[in-house]
Amino acid sequence: PFTFPVRPVSLVKEWPENKPPFRKEDFLRADQQDDGSFYAIPRFVYHIDEAAVSSLTQYYRNNIPAGSDILDICSSWVSHYPLEFPKVMKRMSATGMNFFELKANDQLTDFVAKDLNIDYKLPYDDESFDVVTCVVSIDYLINPIEVLSEVRRVLRPGGKVIISQSNRCFPSKAIAMWLKMNDRQHLELINAYFQYAGGFVEPRKAFDITAQGPDSYYDPMFIVEAVKA
């Protein structure tokens, strides 16, 4: 019942060249307690609606080549990859907060349960992956620039990052400045993270991939895509 337009979004905000303009309090959260307790109980639910899931899956199908080694960070019991991916991809790895959610993700070849807010180092060798994905989760990272620096490290040259984002979140766990921004500003912020992580081709690309269908509203879905230099 859905169609999946891909509409380019221009990233126009100019960020300072050298030092990030962010303050420590920008990355504070209403719930500053250990994330381990918040995510201790598995949540076998979708965090975006069916239309947004379908749109993201279709985007992956059209933009991740067969034979790729893929890493999904901040993953869970579902990565929203197309059903055929386990048969056509070389490797599908993931890191996420909850061991049981990751174990239930039957598309994965391997996984590591890991809290990137405690230790942002990814447990993989340099240049191990062709594609890294992150679904509606970058707003929870308190060290997003460092995490993307690690993403760059584990990517092969020419590999790409696909960050997807909607307008849903756990407000108590999203960082302070994210909650003060609209969808458009979120895309500019993610672009800034890539800029300060370094080593990604400019300009980055952003897309509105919100599905269309018979209903008047579907969860919005956006992509920011970056390529390792």
Side-chain angles (χ1 to χ4, degrees), residues 120-122 145-155:
Y120 55 77
K121 296 287 186 182
L122 294 173
I145 296 170
E146 291 81 359
V147 169
L148 289 180
S149 294
E150 275 291 286
V151 166
R152 182 197 65 228
R153 179 184 65 78
V154 303
L155 271 175

Side-chain angles (χ1 to χ4, degrees), residues 55-130:
S55 180
L56 181 59
T57 299
Q58 188 66 20
Y59 187 86
Y60 285 157
R61 178 176 284 120
N62 293 334
N63 290 277
I64 300 180
S68 295
D69 294 316
I70 309 172
L71 171 63
D72 191 32
I73 64 170
C74 306
S75 189
S76 66
W77 70 283
V78 61
S79 294
H80 306 306
Y81 296 137
L83 290 175
E84 70 271 15
F85 267 28
K87 296 180 180 179
V88 301
M89 299 300 168
K90 288 182 181 178
R91 177 183 181 186
M92 298 171 68
S93 304
T95 65
M97 286 293 301
N98 188 283
F99 173 88
F100 297 102
E101 288 186 23
L102 293 168
K103 189 173 178 60
N105 188 333
D106 59 6
Q107 289 192 316
L108 301 178
T109 54
D110 58 273
F111 66 85
V112 177
K114 183 177 176 64
D115 184 349
L116 295 178
N117 280 341
I118 292 178
D119 178 11
Y120 55 77
K121 296 287 186 182
L122 294 173
Y124 306 102
D125 293 337
D126 295 357
E127 301 184 3
S128 297
F129 297 98
D130 303 297

Side-chain angles (χ1 to χ4, degrees), residues 175-194:
I175 61 168
M177 66 175 167
W178 186 273
L179 297 176
K180 298 175 183 177
M181 296 178 174
N182 60 32
D183 292 337
R184 185 72 177 72
Q185 292 170 319
H186 291 156
L187 301 182
E188 298 284 5
L189 179 63
I190 295 169
N191 188 41
Y193 290 165
F194 279 117

